[in-house]
Amino acid sequence: MSSNFNITDQQRDYSKYGLSGNPFPYSPVPAENPEIFCGQSHVSEKISSTVSTVLSTGKSKHLVVTGKYGNGKSHTLKYTRSLLRDHDDVIVGYVAQPGEGFLDIYHEFVYDLGFSHLQNLSYEYLASITRECTDESPEGAAEMRSLIDEGDVLLPEIIPEAIRELSDITKFADFARAIVHMIYEDTNLYAWQWLTAEGIRYEQRKEMEIHSALDDDTMGVRAFTALKNMLLDLGYTAVFVFVDEFESIARLSPKYEQATLNSVRHLMDQNSSGLCLLFGCAPEVWQDVMSEYHAFSERIGQEVTLKPLTSDHLYNLIHDYLALERLSAEEETDLRPFTEESLNVILQRSQGNVRQILALCSRLLDDAVDADYDVISTEVVEEAF
């Protein structure tokens, strides 16, 4: 066996610095549900204002968050999503990047909701129909599922009325049939595939009496609007769609780029209530969109920019991360083992880029344990570069 490697599962001891572990991510990619907001107050205020307006008025409002790579756009969108998921009366979907057009945005949004969530929405809608058509009064999806499983509510008694009413609400009969088929064991996977725009065979559509294919941007806008209208009818306040890496539309041909922007514009035009779109986009691409596609950019109207961190931002960020692993509450205000001077060097070398700061702090902390340093001084930081 080669002696060049020293592979071990022994954990490092960070207690010398009052820590139970290294709180910084080794791979500084945004967590799915971030605990710490590493953005800036002017950004959080703008997002809070936009989201609060939608929640309080029910009217649609949209925002684009710009910032250079590594300044925290994805983190900001995911942090906002984690806050909104605590609200029972909204639906939130995250789209990692817009893909080849609006149909990909729709696909990723529904996929982020997930099969179980969409199936529960189907049961929730049937519960509302059951309260209208029978003596039963189920309050939610779980109770509706139980009534069906126990035979207290027979599907033939409610399904025709459910399809009829949902078709009226959504103006899309095929969408209504697909939603209803989410509760049937034999066809729920076909219905899921149709609703996620994955494409199914004609025979499978025929089994559900669905006549159209969900296979282009126009149908994607129609299906999204149908879903949102169903949710508002169920009592939800709004649907939030977070589209990250919007700058990737610049890689599309001009024809497909314009088609994608037109589809998003049509989505906004058709949904003046109950919709909030938040985009994360590189500033140079957003400037191009602003100058070349007025019809799209004017409908968003609002932009907020993530800037490189200042020293105050950096101290707060490092303090918040260290507090995650502090062994005692007395030390939670401490920046140890970092010093303000060493953090200033980190800020200067990283040019305030959040991703680079987190990656460097993670590495420096492990190096400090291995070398048994008392503090991470400016000299230690300088040696790391």
Side-chain angles (χ1 to χ4, degrees), residues 205-316:
R205 278 197 280 126
K206 188 177 179 182
E207 194 172 341
M208 297 184 289
E209 299 181 74
I210 291 176
H211 305 292
S212 58
L214 195 54
D215 58 1
D216 61 28
D217 285 0
T218 301
M219 293 296 283
V221 171
R222 192 178 177 193
F224 185 97
T225 302
L227 176 61
K228 191 223 69 177
N229 288 341
M230 182 188 81
L231 292 168
L232 295 193
D233 188 69
L234 284 172
Y236 288 84
T237 302
V239 177
F240 290 82
V241 186
F242 296 168
V243 184
D244 206 356
E245 296 186 18
F246 197 64
E247 63 272 11
S248 64
I249 63 165
R251 293 197 291 267
L252 301 177
S253 68
K255 176 184 174 184
Y256 285 106
E257 181 182 353
Q258 182 149 19
T260 302
L261 295 175
N262 279 338
S263 294
V264 178
R265 177 171 67 85
H266 290 148
L267 182 75
M268 291 188 280
D269 287 350
Q270 292 174 26
N271 294 277
S272 59
S273 63
L275 177 63
C276 180
L277 298 172
L278 262 69
F279 298 92
C281 187
E284 56 273 17
V285 174
W286 183 244
Q287 288 303 315
D288 290 343
V289 171
M290 288 276 286
S291 60
E292 296 175 17
Y293 302 99
H294 299 285
F296 172 78
S297 60
E298 287 174 354
R299 280 163 174 78
I300 294 181
Q302 294 189 103
E303 175 188 355
V304 66
T305 302
L306 282 162
K307 301 172 183 173
L309 297 190
T310 65
S311 55
D312 287 341
H313 292 141
L314 177 61
Y315 300 156
N316 290 333

Side-chain angles (χ1 to χ4, degrees), residues 173-203:
D174 283 347
F175 176 87
R177 293 189 185 96
I179 285 290
V180 167
H181 273 276
M182 285 296 294
I183 70 161
Y184 290 103
E185 284 188 14
D186 292 345
T187 53
N188 57 22
L189 287 179
Y190 299 157
W192 168 249
Q193 285 178 292
W194 189 87
L195 286 164
T196 54
E198 287 186 348
I200 59 175
R201 296 198 306 273
Y202 170 76
E203 294 77 13

Side-chain angles (χ1 to χ4, degrees), residues 27-78:
S27 176
V29 295
E32 281 304 301
N33 294 295
E35 295 181 65
I36 295 171
F37 177 57
C38 64
Q40 297 123 39
S41 58
H42 72 285
V43 176
S44 58
E45 287 168 6
K46 196 74 171 180
I47 292 176
S48 298
S49 173
T50 300
V51 170
S52 299
T53 299
V54 176
L55 291 175
S56 61
T57 68
K59 295 179 181 177
S60 297
K61 196 172 185 181
H62 317 294
L63 176 70
V64 60
V65 180
T66 58
K68 293 188 178 300
Y69 288 105
N71 276 353
K73 296 187 297 297
S74 300
H75 173 92
T76 299
L77 293 186
K78 288 188 173 180

Side-chain angles (χ1 to χ4, degrees), residues 69-88:
Y69 288 105
N71 276 353
K73 296 187 297 297
S74 300
H75 173 92
T76 299
L77 293 186
K78 288 188 173 180
Y79 187 82
T80 308
R81 178 182 65 166
S82 68
L83 296 178
L84 278 168
R85 279 183 167 171
D86 293 336
H87 291 255
D88 294 332

